[in-house]
Structure formats: structure tokens, C-alpha cells
Amino acid sequence: MDLTLDGVGTRLGGRWVVDGIDATPPSGHLTGLLGPNGAGKTTLLRLVAGLLPPEKGAVLVQDVAVHHLPRKARARRIALLEQESTSTVPLTVREVVSLGRIPYRSLWGTDPDEAAVDRALVSARADHLAERPWSSLSGGERQRVQIARALAQEPELLLLDEPTNHLDVSAQLSLLAFVRDLGTTTVAALHDLNLAAAFCEHVLVLANGHLAAAGHPREVLTPALLRQVYGVEADILEHPRTGRPVIAFHEPTRSE
């Protein structure tokens, strides 16, 4: 899916939390949405998903404004996986993934493609969990199942808000490799800059609601940019196996 952010912005509490963002994430690839806390990442994801109306500019999918799409049509094209919240509802994994099919159900509650749930479970490598209670899963398993739920929507655009939160290193690497290889246009808000550098084809860096930089991590994640946006000093190294950037943070020297 072609996604274009055309000067999009909105205010919350009278303050511009996203202000004039122009960007075109590459179709079919993973884009990392970066920036310090309060930079506007979650708000921008909700604007792209159509859950918040822009006060200026527009979010375009295939040159159509997201906010002009009917709600059900929008839900069939865009899936947003927000930061995980705990639930005490006694559901199985299959039932959780089936929630992704709600946009396709008829007035009588039937789904014309129930096999989509099975396909999503297999794609997310979560089919072995299908009959497990949701409450029994680990953090990594829950994230994989939530992605299966999003895939069950059969979206053209996948939005992820901090998908690696609370995961151990192995689960983080496995999850992002899986998302990268989906071939679906994906925008993921990430805190860990090294994970973004390792897995993203493109990054958008926000600072105080504005777009500070956009492009391939190798071009964008420079010492100067990290100093400007995050207020930290860093050296950029090259990973010996992948050639991807590796960020080594350090305390400033006296001369710095």
C-alpha cells in the first residue's frame, strides 16, 4: 500500500503534538517511527489509523484520505496494534485472533472467510497456540498472537506501537525479523534505536511533534542527529555480520 503523510498535524490539550509531518514510507517495507518520549509517535500512528482526525494536512492511502474512508473499509485496509493491555476475559488464542475478522462479518455475525484466522495463525507462527488460553501466554507469545489478530484483518497497512515492549532479546529479534519479512507496508514505533537500525528499511525521527529526519537508518542515525534529538553522544559502528549501523552510546568527554 502507498502511504503518504501530507503536512499532517493535530493538537491535544491545545498543544500541537504532531505538526506538519510530510513523509512517504516505502511500500512493502518496515519503517521505524523513532523519537524520545513525548515526540508524538503514538499520536501519529493513531492519525494514520484514522482514529484521530487531523487538524491540518491529510493521511493518504492510495491517494485517498484515510478519514474519508468508511469505518469498516478503513478497518479492512489498516490494522493498528497498540501497546499491549492486560485482559481478564477468558478467551482462547483462536478467539483473540478471530477478533481481527470483525470488519468482515455480516449483519448476522457470519464471516465469509473463516479460514483467514487459520492463515493468520500460521503466518505469525502461532498456530500451535490456537487452543491455549490467552491468559496463559508469555509476553512474546502474546505479541505474536496480537500480530496474528492484525493479520487476520488482511490489512494493506500494518501499524505497531512499541511491539517489542516487555520482550526479551530473543523475542525482540524474532518478532522484528518476522514483521520485516511480511512484505506488508508497516510502520512501527520503536524505542530501541539499534533494533530500528538492524531491521528497518526506512526511519522517521520525530522531535517535539516535528519530523527531524527521514531515510535509511544508515543515512539518518548519525551522531549529530542523535545529539540534536536525544541529547546523547554516540559513535556509529558497522555490524560485522550484517553491515548495518550499530549505535554505541557514551558519556561526553570534557571537550564535548
Side-chain angles (χ1 to χ4, degrees):
M1 171 186 277
D2 293 330
L3 170 65
T4 302
L5 309 181
D6 184 13
V8 69
T10 196
R11 287 176 289 190
L12 294 176
R15 181 177 68 90
W16 287 99
V17 291
V18 172
D19 191 1
I21 304 295
D22 288 299
T24 307
S27 180
H29 293 283
L30 172 59
T31 290
L33 183 58
L34 313 179
N37 289 338
K41 300 187 295 296
T42 295
T43 300
L44 183 57
L45 286 179
R46 291 177 65 81
L47 280 166
V48 174
L51 300 182
L52 287 176
E55 292 190 49
K56 63 181 178 181
V59 177
L60 306 174
V61 290
Q62 308 295 89
D63 295 324
V64 177
V66 164
H67 299 85
H68 292 168
L69 291 172
R71 184 176 179 180
K72 181 172 283 191
R74 191 169 66 229
R76 290 180 177 182
R77 304 183 73 175
I78 303 171
L80 170 63
L81 178 57
E82 301 193 80
Q83 294 189 41
E84 184 183 3
S85 59
T86 57
S87 173
T88 57
V89 178
L91 298 176
T92 66
V93 164
R94 181 179 297 278
E95 288 169 333
V96 170
V97 177
S98 295
L99 296 176
R101 298 301 300 171
I102 289 175
Y104 296 91
R105 291 178 184 169
S106 69
L107 292 175
W108 298 273
T110 57
D111 179 359
D113 189 6
E114 292 183 358
V117 172
D118 293 319
R119 291 196 298 270
L121 284 164
V122 170
S123 294
R125 298 194 292 274
D127 49 312
H128 63 291
L129 302 171
E131 305 310 320
R132 288 263 305 273
W134 166 257
S135 59
S136 73
L137 302 184
S138 69
E141 289 170 334
R142 287 190 179 201
Q143 286 296 74
R144 193 170 289 278
V145 169
Q146 290 283 36
I147 287 180
R149 177 182 60 77
L151 294 179
Q153 289 181 231
E154 299 180 308
E156 300 169 57
L157 174 61
L158 181 60
L159 306 173
L160 308 174
D161 193 2
E162 303 292 351
T164 58
N165 264 7
H166 312 302
L167 302 186
D168 60 33
V169 173
S170 175
Q172 289 177 352
L173 298 178
S174 175
L175 182 68
L176 287 180
F178 165 71
V179 171
R180 176 199 61 197
D181 296 339
L182 278 175
T184 300
T185 304
T186 303
V187 180
L190 297 169
H191 266 308
D192 190 318
L193 301 183
N194 276 308
L195 286 177
F199 290 99
C200 295
E201 184 67 20
H202 189 82
V203 293
L204 304 174
V205 183
L206 300 186
N208 297 316
H210 297 276
L211 184 64
H216 192 279
R218 188 177 293 107
E219 302 164 353
V220 169
L221 299 179
T222 64
L225 185 281
L226 297 175
R227 185 181 304 116
Q228 170 195 340
V229 173
Y230 290 91
V232 298
E233 300 298 331
D235 295 316
I236 310 300
L237 312 175
E238 184 177 293
H239 195 286
R241 289 178 179 265
T242 66
R244 285 275 185 157
V246 176
I247 304 168
F249 299 100
H250 61 85
E251 294 183 20
T253 62
R254 290 180 182 273
S255 61
E256 292 174 335

